[in-house]
Amino acid sequence: MTKGKKVTLWVVGVVLVLLVALVIVVATFDWNRLKPTLNEQVSQALDRPFAIEGDLDVQWALPEAAEGLARWIPQPHVRANDVRLGSPDAVTDADLATLEAIDVVLSPLPLLSQTVAIPAIALSGGEATLVRLEDGTNNWTFSGEDEAQASDTSDEGSTWTVDIGEIAFDPIDIHYRDAILAADIDATVELLGEPIAFEEVSGADGAQDAPGNDETPAADGASAERDVVDFAFAWRASGTYRDAPVEGSGRLGGLGALRQTGSPYPIQAELEAGATQVSVDGTLTDPLAPKRIDLDLSFAGQNLGELYGIIGVTLPDTPPYSTRGHLTADLASNEALTFRYRDFDGQIGNSDIHGDLTYRLGEPRPSLTGEVVSRQLRFADLAPLIGADSNADKADRGETSQQPEDKVLPTETFDTEQWRAMDADVKFTAERIEHGESLPLDDLYTHVVLDDGEILLDPLRFGVAGGNLNTTLRLDGSQNPMQSRVDMHIRHLLLSQLFPDVELMQNSRGELNGDATLSGTGNSVAAILGSSDGNLQALISDGVISQNLMELAGLNVGNYLVGELFGDEQVDIHCAATHLEVDDGLARTRFFVIDTETALINIDGTINFATEGLDLTIEPESKGARVFTLRSPLYVEGTFKNPSPGVDAGSLLARGAAGAVLGTVATPAAALLALVSPSADGTTPCNDFLSEVQTE
């Protein structure tokens, strides 16, 4: 044997001995010796406690599913027991995560191509606790994380990738404690027995737009459409959110989709927060660094106003409601984050609603804009807006306030604190209004603007009896108590349509016109009217009056007065005109006269909005023998809730009502002439009557 061959054999022998020694060392090495160093290094890198408190072991095995050279290269199977990752002491003493065991399989060969391949991970006995304090600090953000992300983004030369295969785990318990959201929620995440196709849950076609749509073009060159992965995980949760009980369940997509840039990740949830139910079906693009939300979103509950505590959007109090629409948001935009709730349909009470709303986060406040339409609005469904619904209805929608039994004006206070939380610019249209027989409303339109706690409804317009009730309403919730002002104009309300069930009224050519201006201070309708200043004017021409008419209108006091004045007969009204001045909630009659075919009736006295008290005297002067039987004035006293009409038997008519009226009301009569709406022939009975009053 030559010398060269001997050297070669010795080298090969030494190498084989070293390999055998290495295998023996690796196979028999006590990996627990590395735990102190490993725990220290990871703790320093993460700036928080990390420890493998159980055994650390490594086993080598040939891969079963590999092909070619990889089939003959052993893979290390690393198993660590009782793993604990702590939290910053300043946040909580609870561990961020604990595991009874973690098994990781590594593939050495891909390292040659700068790929860290982890074919399989198995977790056992997992538990996580996520905590956020009031100042925003939390235990899941690692120090230097933002800088590392920025460095990774800018490091174009880095070509290392991570490839994770299957992940298996037992149910993982997650505890979420958030002082900002007042949330205390416990959840469990587990693998589904079998994956569930996205379209089976959402009803979609299995494909979603890539990042960006017709509003936001895709910036990463992604295809226009991406398949949505199957649901792989199920979750359930319960606890409290903003001091309200909450529970829910749902499904999530597989982990593979989390690593696919530009891919839609499926999410599905059914939540209950107090009396509110929320349903979510859709996708979140790039969930690890969210870029886009694309969801079908449904709400249902007892009171739309309760959504403020859940989603932070100021909405009015309503009867029970439900709504379903499509929510989208471009989270990657450099502009203010904007959520669009499009093409929604729903129900509020017995009224339908449809429309589009946009909620934009920004400074100085978030804003809500859009348009809502109701094809058929039930008028009673508007009552909760001003607290005018019944005590039973208030209780059903979760309100603790109660309307006093002896009060008519709503005493429920407006929550002006919520008004300052956001701005709004929303238009609302009710194409048709469902109402009682005594309230002939046709339609409604209003433009609502909320700006720094001040609400402006301009216009607030009702179509009524062939005419319209046009109002401008301003409520300044930025002040406490609230300042308010209302300007109302009643125009061309046809008497024949105001009382459609009165046969004789159908031939009436008369109209109702009026103006009102009131300003007041207070946080409820009762308080505002009880402190109000202003004036009211109204005029009716060419109508009729009878006991039957009062009964149809539900006016018991009017029924009594008409019965006392005219008996059961139908009487023509030539002109009825009133001018009230309001000072600190007390309305005084400057002019309140009804001119009928049989008598001239003067009404004098006060209406107290603060106490809801009535103190009115009705003095008729007969134009013939038909009311000569009445020898004394009538009165209406009591309250709005319990009026008390009667005859002032102790006071005979000492003077003619007509003489008293015509001598004192020339100025108000001149103002009321502006409300006269001429009929086809250019004049009405009110023209003649008010002109005569001016002349006298």
Side-chain angles (χ1 to χ4, degrees), residues 100 110 116 141 156 202 278 343 373 466 469 495 528 567 586 644 651 695:
E100 291 182 3
V116 179
T141 299
E156 297 179 357
S202 67
V278 182
D343 301 323
V373 174
L469 175 61
L495 299 182
I528 292 170
L586 185 65
S644 176
S651 175
T695 302

Side-chain angles (χ1 to χ4, degrees), residues 27 57 103 167 175 183 193 243 381 439 535 634 649 661 687:
D57 188 27
D103 291 90
I167 296 182
H175 313 288
D243 300 324
D381 293 332
L439 194 63
N535 63 82
L634 304 177
V661 172
N687 288 96

Side-chain angles (χ1 to χ4, degrees), residues 6 70 154 208-209 216 239 267 277 287 330 340 373 379 422 437 463 478 526 555 594 605 644 672:
K6 291 181 179 180
S154 61
Q208 292 282 311
D209 291 342
T216 308
I267 57 177
Q277 295 86 46
D330 181 9
R340 293 180 174 87
V373 174
F379 188 71
M422 56 171 271
E437 295 179 354
S478 65
L555 301 176
I594 303 174
S644 176
L672 284 162

Side-chain angles (χ1 to χ4, degrees), residues 315-660:
L315 295 169
D317 289 329
T318 67
Y321 70 93
S322 64
T323 178
R324 181 177 179 85
H326 196 72
L327 181 72
T328 59
D330 181 9
L331 306 180
S333 173
N334 294 326
E335 300 179 355
L337 182 57
T338 300
F339 297 88
R340 293 180 174 87
Y341 193 43
R342 300 178 298 171
D343 301 323
F344 67 82
D345 299 293
Q347 199 84 8
I348 296 179
N350 292 316
S351 306
D352 66 290
I353 56 169
H354 317 271
D356 298 275
L357 292 172
T358 298
Y359 184 72
R360 184 186 300 272
L361 297 175
E363 297 296 336
R365 289 166 299 279
S367 63
L368 180 71
T369 59
E371 189 164 357
V372 180
V373 174
S374 175
R375 300 189 182 102
Q376 179 160 306
L377 172 69
R378 182 172 174 263
F379 188 71
D381 293 332
L382 297 177
L385 295 176
I386 59 172
D389 50 341
S390 68
N391 286 336
D393 290 338
K394 292 179 192 291
D396 288 341
R397 60 184 172 91
E399 291 291 335
T400 57
S401 63
Q402 295 285 300
Q403 176 73 12
E405 294 296 335
D406 61 338
K407 297 292 184 182
V408 172
L409 300 178
T411 61
E412 184 175 334
T413 57
F414 297 104
D415 190 354
T416 57
E417 185 67 28
Q418 292 187 13
W419 298 2
R420 294 190 289 273
M422 56 171 271
D423 294 338
D425 189 331
V426 178
K427 298 175 181 178
F428 176 73
T429 302
E431 297 175 351
R432 181 177 179 274
I433 297 180
E434 177 186 332
H435 49 75
E437 295 179 354
S438 60
L439 194 63
L441 297 172
D442 300 322
D443 52 43
L444 164 66
Y445 172 79
T446 188
H447 183 186
V448 183
V449 176
L450 172 60
D451 183 15
D452 195 17
E454 183 179 52
I455 292 180
L456 173 64
L457 280 72
D458 185 19
L460 171 58
R461 183 171 61 242
F462 289 92
V464 186
N468 62 77
L469 175 61
N470 204 334
T471 303
T472 298
L473 175 63
R474 188 182 299 274
L475 303 172
D476 189 356
S478 65
Q479 303 184 50
N480 191 19
M482 181 172 63
Q483 306 292 315
S484 63
R485 178 183 174 88
V486 59
D487 293 287
M488 181 185 301
H489 307 283
I490 303 171
R491 291 295 182 269
H492 310 301
L493 273 61
L494 303 177
L495 299 182
S496 58
Q497 295 186 28
L498 271 175
F499 305 101
D501 295 327
V502 180
E503 184 176 352
L504 292 177
M505 187 67 82
Q506 302 311 304
N507 297 323
S508 172
R509 297 177 299 169
E511 292 184 356
L512 168 62
N513 292 278
D515 288 322
T517 299
L518 291 173
S519 59
T521 302
N523 293 331
S524 69
V525 173
I528 292 170
L529 290 177
S531 62
S532 60
D533 299 310
N535 63 82
L536 303 93
Q537 301 177 77
L539 186 144
I540 297 176
S541 64
D542 204 9
V544 295
I545 192 169
S546 70
Q547 278 190 302
N548 290 336
L549 180 59
M550 294 296 101
E551 289 174 1
L552 286 170
L555 301 176
N556 294 328
V557 172
N559 186 37
Y560 169 83
L561 295 176
V562 172
E564 290 292 331
L565 290 172
F566 309 115
D568 296 331
E569 297 183 23
Q570 186 98 17
V571 177
D572 291 334
I573 297 177
H574 297 154
C575 185
T578 182
H579 183 168
L580 304 178
E581 285 191 346
V582 185
D583 182 17
D584 197 21
L586 185 65
R588 299 181 182 275
T589 58
R590 288 195 63 192
F591 185 82
F592 199 157
V593 178
I594 303 174
D595 181 31
T596 75
E597 61 179 313
T598 60
L600 182 66
I601 302 167
N602 181 42
I603 301 175
D604 189 32
T606 61
I607 300 172
N608 194 322
F609 291 110
T611 64
E612 298 192 6
L614 298 170
D615 186 7
L616 298 171
T617 300
I618 298 94
E619 300 183 46
E621 180 177 345
S622 175
K623 293 182 179 179
R626 296 167 65 180
V627 293
F628 274 139
T629 55
L630 184 63
R631 301 300 183 185
S632 300
L634 304 177
Y635 65 81
V636 177
E637 298 176 347
T639 65
F640 297 175
K641 185 77 172 182
N642 298 298
S644 176
V647 177
D648 186 1
S651 175
L652 297 177
L653 292 174
R655 56 186 172 84

